[in-house]
Amino acid sequence: MPTGGRRSDTDMKIILPRQFVRIFLSALLIITTLVSTGPVRKASAQESVDILAGQFINPPDDAKIMMRWWWFGPSVTKERLEREMLLMKEGGIGGFEIQPVYPVALDDGKIRTIPYLSDEFLDVLRYANRRAAELGLRVDLTIGSGWPYGGPSVPVTQAAGRLRVEKTRPVSRRVPLPDISEGESLIATFFRRANGSQTIEAFNEIATIRDSAAWLPEVPRTGDEVFFFIASRTGMMVKRPAIGAEGFVLDHYDRSAIDDYLKNVGDRLMRSFDYQAPYAIFCDSLEVFNSDWTGDYLAEFEKRRGYDLKPLLPALAADIGPDTESIRHDWAMTLTEIFNDRFLAPMRDWAKTNKTRFRMQGYGIPPMTLSGNAYLDLPEGEGSQWKVVRASRWAASASHLYGKPVTSSETWTWLHSPSFRATPLDIKAEADLHFLQGINQLIGHGWPYTADAADYPGWRFYAAGVFNEKNPWWPVMPDLSKYLQRVSFMLRQGLPANDIALYLPTSDAWTSYSNGRVGYLIERLRDRVGSECMPAILGAGFNLDFFDDEALNKLGRIEGNEMAMGVNRYKAVILPNVQRIPQATLQKLEAFVDQGGVVIATRRIPELAPGFKASADERSRIRQISARLFEGTNAKAHFVRDEKGALGAKLASLVRPDVAFSQPGTDIGFIHRSTESTEIYFIANTTSSTRSFNAEFRVRGMNAEIWDPLTGSISPAPASQKGVSGTVLAFEIEPYGSRLVVFSKRTLPAVSARAATGLRTEIDLSSDWRLDIDGRKKILPQLKSWTDDDEHRYFSGTAVYEKTIQVAAEWLQKSFEIRLDFGSGMALVEQELRNGMRTWLDAPVRDAAVISVNGNRAGSLWCPPYSIDITRLLKVGDNTLRIEVGNTAINHLAGRRLPDYRLLNLRYGERFKPQDMDNLEPLPSGLLGPVRLLVR
């Protein structure tokens, strides 16, 4: 079964079997030949796999993880910036995104704040860019401070807009107008009679506005209402701004506001990039709360929708009958279109003009759709929840549809909150969930700049993990980074191979918008799709992409019995709980079914045409097509009412699963990439327990290999079997473990058998370790957490364990394997978390260890299996084991008062609140035992 110890990457040249040296030499010969022999020939399938294998072991730098680098204040110095860049490089981090944010310390002579966009700020920004280029680090730049875009250059007339609705019950014909502030204007006023009909006819626009009042045409009665519709401003200020970056959030629907912002902020920032343009500019979270209006919205609406919204404005604030949802649909749809034209397109063009790329988290408010990501060079998501509609799969799906090979995600936000609590195992476990959704570039959230004068463990962002050298587990960061780099690299190979296209019912989501309830479109879609549809698909042995109407109509083409969109070919389309659907979409899906394609509707069948101006003919055609597809005994497509109980089975009966697991459920996830010469599967155990199972892959005529991203080792898969529709492999995957399965025509030489055939000797090493901790040395009669001793209860750092063992000559025979085994840990009961995610394993090593034997590094242990092969480093007789163990910084924080930000808040206003820092307790640390030497 695919198992094995975890070794250090620095020792790969020692541990690789002879056949892999041959692979390296073969790849080198191929590359040399291709470069030196004139006309370039295409590498053979065998050569392509050999080259890929070499790259997998040491992937290119562009697959390395990055970090969001928070410059607090900004209170930065060139010397410290250089030091932190060197540390990033040392830790295997490939670059950073610069994000200036709020101050965390007052100026005191040692710490000095540099105002954002000042000449001095631009000077240190220029230095960071140049030094990063010298170090080979990628630099991305947020065009602003904090989020969303905005600041002091944004006047109230260009601040984020909203439709303000004020209601009052009149007592006379004269109804005073509400206060109209700067940046606001009255759009319209309506009078509604009490007990009137639930139609627009119940609302009468008041034409007479004079003397700061609206004048009713008649004396009001009890229960009558007056509605004032006002073009207003949200008043939202930039969140978490640096000093000098405070101000209004800009109107993302106003082209002049975007242009002025880029001139005042973007162009000034770019002066620091005269040496080299940033790799990408970045737009962080779209969180322009309550923004649903702009100055010329009514004119734009009529131009785009073909009718005047003004007399129908009451539909946005009240129920006016059957047309209410259709009008709200058109209102939200128009917001999306204006945002595309006036924000996304100009940002893309500005990035191109400045010879950089546009990277963005494309979801939130304004209501950006999935296909809005087509404007981006680098779509970005966030969120580890892989079985519901979330932004990571949203971004990856858009990349798959629109041919963008790299998709990033904001990773580890709130991971095992509070700051400094996350362990390397937590980091790996969350990253794997992003990988399962199609992410292949991780942007760590994040790396806090820390002044030299700051107390240990340094500065930290209020809502994030900390992944810098202040963590005592930092010595294993290069190994952790290499794992993440290898998986990211492999998930960029070839093309995505997801079978299922899951339709996002955007029209239904738009109808849920109303005045004061303009939320994230992606959240409305999540509610619409529900919590059972995606687990049913994933559990049936498929992976999926989202798509929307625009993607289908721009990219969709029928190829045989598959629906192709971009480079993707989908074997089935799922319509989850869809009520409204454009006629063009439904017609294309019917054509797909007529060519043998699979379409399944769940919970309900589509029956309504979206939009207020939908014609009677269009409404009738949608009902007719839907009836042909889903109703009666002669239905051409399929309908499943119970997603949880029936969708997976129905899907598997119509399409062969890509990977059929012997164990039901969705605890084991996979994602599939396909190249000309390989089929690549990443498989992850997302639970705290070991999982043993068989998996039947829809692959025939190819040989399976296990590529271990933790070690870089490659080996033939254990004996496979022919299944009903593919190749069956047996797996035993440790808690939160993962594997890469690579199918190709290549045949690896058989690895000389050193696998365990029987336990010869087991030696308990749990006692009498020499411990060096915090400047103190002692002998441990029995392994235990160092926090059990009062003197080390609040110690955060590294401790060194040493022990001398005897090795018999017979153990070093060729057929023997000797492992240092620390146990498997114990699964914990999962609990509801306030924020983020964490792993649920009581590990035997807390929290990371570097193992050396006789002065030679054997490798590191920071995730299951907590076991390592040390055979090659042993000698006959005495052998010295040295284990350096690092915990987290939480113990240190638990033993001290938290920073007092009272004066800071008085000076600058309260710009953040530390999260989850109350009631900290020290955590078990060190080697907890038992430790065994296993001789097989």
Side-chain angles (χ1 to χ4, degrees), residues 437-652:
Q437 298 175 77
I439 296 300
N440 53 20
Q441 172 69 71
L442 302 178
I443 312 290
H445 193 274
W447 186 290
Y449 173 94
T450 294
D452 290 329
D455 292 336
Y456 179 81
W459 294 343
R460 56 265 192 190
F461 195 69
Y462 79 102
V466 175
F467 308 108
N468 61 18
E469 88 290 358
K470 304 297 184 181
N471 291 288
W473 51 256
W474 175 257
V476 307
M477 188 66 184
D479 296 340
L480 170 58
S481 295
K482 184 68 77 173
Y483 166 82
L484 301 171
Q485 182 185 2
R486 287 184 178 128
V487 180
S488 296
F489 168 73
M490 293 299 288
L491 295 184
R492 297 181 185 188
Q493 303 311 303
L495 300 174
N498 294 336
D499 287 331
I500 309 304
L502 181 66
Y503 177 74
L504 294 180
T506 306
S507 291
D508 286 327
W510 275 329
T511 66
S512 67
Y513 279 53
S514 62
N515 180 253
R517 293 187 66 250
V518 179
Y520 284 29
L521 182 66
I522 193 172
E523 291 182 353
R524 304 294 172 86
L525 291 166
R526 184 186 311 145
D527 293 341
R528 193 78 190 182
V529 173
S531 61
E532 296 181 349
C533 179
M534 287 178 58
I537 296 169
L538 297 169
F542 302 94
N543 211 327
L544 62 95
D545 284 329
F546 304 138
F547 77 102
D548 60 9
D549 300 297
E550 184 176 349
L552 181 68
N553 292 314
K554 282 186 175 180
L555 308 172
R557 61 194 186 281
I558 301 166
E559 297 183 0
N561 62 350
E562 295 178 328
M563 176 63 76
M565 283 184 270
V567 298
N568 308 279
R569 297 167 67 93
Y570 300 102
K571 301 180 184 303
V573 173
I574 308 294
L575 305 179
N577 192 30
V578 178
Q579 185 177 23
R580 291 168 182 79
I581 193 167
Q583 180 180 330
T585 298
L586 203 54
Q587 286 175 330
K588 183 161 285 190
L589 293 178
E590 184 178 31
F592 175 50
V593 170
D594 289 341
Q595 293 297 315
V598 173
V599 174
I600 303 175
T602 70
R603 280 187 281 169
R604 69 189 310 158
I605 63 173
E607 58 184 352
L608 298 180
F612 181 64
K613 295 289 284 184
S615 66
D617 181 66
E618 183 179 359
R619 298 170 195 267
S620 174
R621 285 181 180 275
I622 286 175
R623 287 193 293 268
Q624 292 170 6
I625 297 171
S626 187
R628 289 197 299 268
L629 287 173
F630 303 111
E631 294 180 356
T633 57
N634 295 320
K636 297 190 289 183
H638 307 272
F639 174 67
V640 172
R641 189 173 302 279
D642 178 13
E643 292 170 336
K644 185 176 182 179
L647 176 58
K650 170 61 73 174
L651 190 56

Side-chain angles (χ1 to χ4, degrees), residues 882-897:
R882 185 180 191 275
I883 304 174
E884 182 181 356
V885 182
N887 61 347
T888 70
I890 284 294
N891 292 10
H892 177 90
L893 292 170
R896 284 156 179 78
R897 289 181 177 273

Side-chain angles (χ1 to χ4, degrees), residues 160-162 234 251-253 288-293 335 365-367 518:
R162 75 179 178 103
T234 68
D251 183 350
H252 286 55
Y253 306 113
V288 192
F289 298 127
N290 300 314
S291 181
D292 58 10
W293 201 259
L335 290 173
I365 308 168
V518 179

